[in-house]
Amino acid sequence: MIIVKTDLQIEYMRLAGSIVRDTLLKLEEVIKPGMTTAELDKIAEDYILKCGAKPSFKGYYGFPASICTSLNSEVVHGIPSKKIFLQEGDIISVDCGALINGYNGDAARTFAVGNISKEAQKLIDVTRESFFQGVESARVGNKLTDISSRIQQYVEGFGYSVVRDYVGHGIGEQMHEDPEVPNYGRPGRGPKLLHGMVLAIEPMVNIGDYTVKVEANDWTVVTEDGSLSAHYENTVAILRDGPEILTWSK
Ligand code: MG
Ligand code: MG
């Protein structure tokens, strides 16, 4: 069941969204070679708590940290660790969620660690832009998979692939609500988009094949062929006047 939000509920979600956005901006400022992913997790958790929010991911199905940190060929759900040191040339996808006043925000970015290859930078740029392409279709009266199809078309135009096994989602009082928001598929399908729907739109893009597998820790998702992967996500409210990105600002 898709839970359509009232304007007041969306106002609450703006606050949750701004905390997630600011947490990611903070991490972007400090990320550098030599840091551990556990340090990033601590910075994020401290900031979220300081804002009076809760890190939504911590304890979610037993997830042990406040952010997911996925390096290079890791797609999503990487676990921060004191043993994982960032190295020059890495790319790191950070996924972050915060809960405040009963509502969630959810967003992800892929960051460069120091200088990265042109190929890695292009992957990050295409993944980010594919999100904004998708958002263009997140309009009242469109169908859900108009978003999906646009993301897929854009990504595949560069010879990259979109992950199929993990998808975006509705969001609100629960971090994951209906509907699922795939990043692939034919347009014109699924529910009609209504004023007040809030979706986490989150393309996961691989340089190689779209197939992925889960590592032995039962969390970390990696590309099956070992190719690089990037992730870009925002919480988006579909409003009469057009989409509003609750976890982003220029
Ligand atoms: Mg997320
Ligand atoms: Mg999400």
Side-chain angles (χ1 to χ4, degrees), residues 57 95 106-107 202 233:
F57 295 2
D95 199 339
D106 184 10
E202 51 176 315
E233 173 183 31

Side-chain angles (χ1 to χ4, degrees), residues 57 77 95-96 105-108 167-171 175-176 199-202 204 231 233-235:
F57 295 2
H77 305 165
D95 199 339
C96 179
D106 184 10
V167 296
H169 49 93
I171 178 168
M175 190 164 62
H176 294 117
L199 305 176
I201 301 174
E202 51 176 315
M204 290 148 263
H231 187 196
E233 173 183 31
N234 284 302
T235 299

Side-chain angles (χ1 to χ4, degrees), residues 73 75 165 206 209-213 221-227:
S73 63
V75 179
D165 289 0
N206 301 345
D209 195 77
Y210 64 76
T211 52
V212 298
K213 61 185 180 187
V221 177
V222 297
T223 58
E224 205 154 28
D225 62 11
S227 67

Side-chain angles (χ1 to χ4, degrees), residues 28-214:
E28 183 172 26
E29 274 173 26
V30 300
I31 281 178
K32 60 173 194 294
M35 288 182 92
T36 67
T37 51
E39 287 175 72
L40 296 177
D41 182 56
K42 169 98 170 71
I43 291 166
E45 180 170 311
D46 287 351
Y47 182 74
I48 292 168
L49 293 173
K50 199 182 97 188
C51 294
K54 273 189 189 166
S56 328
F57 295 2
K58 201 161 193 177
Y60 192 77
Y61 290 102
F63 190 78
S66 294
I67 54 173
C68 300
T69 50
S70 308
L71 281 159
N72 301 320
S73 63
E74 295 172 354
V75 179
V76 286
H77 305 165
I79 301 173
S81 164
K82 285 179 185 159
K83 293 179 190 154
I84 301 174
F85 290 84
L86 300 182
Q87 294 182 40
E88 180 94 24
D90 282 342
I91 61 172
I92 179 170
S93 300
V94 178
D95 199 339
C96 179
L99 172 74
I100 187 163
N101 294 333
Y103 290 87
N104 286 280
D106 184 10
R109 310 276 184 261
T110 299
F111 299 121
V113 181
N115 289 310
I116 60 170
S117 69
K118 278 192 180 143
E119 191 188 34
Q121 187 60 55
K122 188 176 164 198
L123 174 69
I124 291 175
D125 294 344
V126 168
T127 305
R128 180 179 190 278
E129 180 56 27
S130 75
F131 163 85
F132 287 98
Q133 291 288 321
V135 164
E136 271 306 308
S137 293
R139 293 181 184 278
V140 170
N142 280 358
K143 291 287 188 72
L144 180 78
T145 67
D146 294 342
I147 302 170
S148 317
S149 158
R150 191 143 170 188
I151 292 171
Q152 180 181 23
Q153 296 293 324
Y154 185 79
V155 166
E156 292 184 354
F158 292 86
Y160 300 151
S161 62
V162 291
V163 170
R164 309 284 208 267
D165 289 0
Y166 297 85
V167 296
H169 49 93
I171 178 168
E173 291 185 38
Q174 303 297 322
M175 190 164 62
H176 294 117
E177 296 182 355
D178 288 339
E180 290 197 341
V181 185
N183 299 300
Y184 63 96
R186 286 205 260 158
R189 296 181 171 199
K192 201 174 221 187
L193 301 179
L194 304 174
H195 173 84
M197 282 185 184
V198 184
L199 305 176
I201 301 174
E202 51 176 315
M204 290 148 263
V205 177
N206 301 345
I207 284 187
D209 195 77
Y210 64 76
T211 52
V212 298
K213 61 185 180 187
V214 181

